[in-house]
């Protein structure tokens, strides 16, 4: 990436916007990568022509409060975190956020003892690390439990797994208006027109 940018910026003579974006693990790595690029910008963009921005989707917290503050200092409003509050991944790795996972889909899905134990384990291994989500202006999407995925006679864990997978993947397409064949949002229609 660095070699590509160095080569590209050798012949560039006008300002350019660069957006670093990612979903899930990419949602944690995109602010990290953008921050690295910002911190070494003189190496690959000696003319200072690039303006970097970050769009992070569905990501866990990439660092502690100092890291989040540093990102905010370097990017401000050019950093945008977008998340679904019903997405399990976006609750990682802050202890208070992890604790919410036990009843995340309650009352639609009853609590499950095995699920609670798994959450307690995650809390135990991350307690004291002080992970913090980035972007104080984060956009929380209006996620809802997908009722069509609930199987009334199935154990709670089956419904939990189905909901976890949906809320971390397809829910984002629906909540952002990117569903096919007729995306309802202007952004969705624009993106659909640019791709196959």
């Amino acid at each position: 990436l660095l070699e590509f940018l160095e080569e590209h910026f050798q012949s560039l003579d006008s300002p350019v916007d660069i957006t670093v974006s990612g979903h899930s693990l990419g949602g944690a790595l995109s602010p990290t990568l953008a921050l690295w690029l910002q911190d070494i910008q003189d190496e690959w963009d000696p003319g200072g022509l690039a303006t970097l921005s970050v769009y992070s989707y569905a990501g866990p917290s990439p660092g502690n409060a100092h890291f989040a503050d540093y990102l905010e200092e370097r990017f401000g409003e050019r950093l945008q975190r977008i998340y679904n509050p019903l997405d399990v991944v976006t609750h990682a790795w802050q202890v208070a956020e992890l604790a919410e996972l036990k009843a995340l889909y309650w009352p639609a899905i009853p609590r499950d003892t095995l699920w609670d134990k798994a959450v307690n384990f995650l809390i135990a291994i991350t307690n004291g690390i002080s992970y913090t989500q980035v972007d104080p202006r984060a956009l929380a999407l209006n996620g809802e439990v997908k009722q069509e995925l609930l199987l009334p006679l199935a154990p709670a864990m089956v419904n939990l797994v189905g909901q976890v997978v949906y809320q971390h993947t397809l829910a984002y397409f629906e909540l952002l208006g990117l569903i096919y064949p007729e995306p309802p949002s202007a952004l969705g229609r624009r993106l659909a027109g640019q791709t196959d």
Side-chain angles (χ1 to χ4, degrees), residues 57 173 176-178 180 183 185-196:
Y57 297 87
F173 288 96
L176 292 168
L178 300 173
Y180 294 93
S185 73
L187 173 62
R189 288 192 299 274
R190 187 169 135 224
L191 291 174
Q194 294 175 355
T195 68
D196 292 332

Side-chain angles (χ1 to χ4, degrees), residues 85 91 94-105 115 119 123:
H91 290 261
Q94 291 177 253
V95 170
E97 292 272 329
L98 286 170
E100 294 175 4
L101 296 179
K102 293 179 182 180
L104 190 61
Y105 306 123
W115 180 264
V119 171
I123 289 170

Side-chain angles (χ1 to χ4, degrees), residues 3 7-9 17 27 29 36 69 81 86 102 107 109 112 145 148 155 157 166-167 177 192 195:
E3 289 174 8
E7 183 179 318
H8 182 75
F9 278 85
D17 293 327
L29 294 177
W36 174 68
D69 290 345
R81 181 171 81 94
L86 294 182
K102 293 179 182 180
I109 301 173
D112 180 82
V145 171
E148 303 91 89
M157 185 59 84
Y166 165 76
Q167 297 293 345
T195 68

Side-chain angles (χ1 to χ4, degrees), residues 126-146:
T126 58
N127 197 14
I129 299 176
S130 301
Y131 283 102
T132 303
Q133 275 291 5
V134 300
D135 186 15
R137 299 164 305 282
L139 173 62
L141 302 173
N142 192 21
E144 296 179 2
V145 171
K146 185 79 163 183

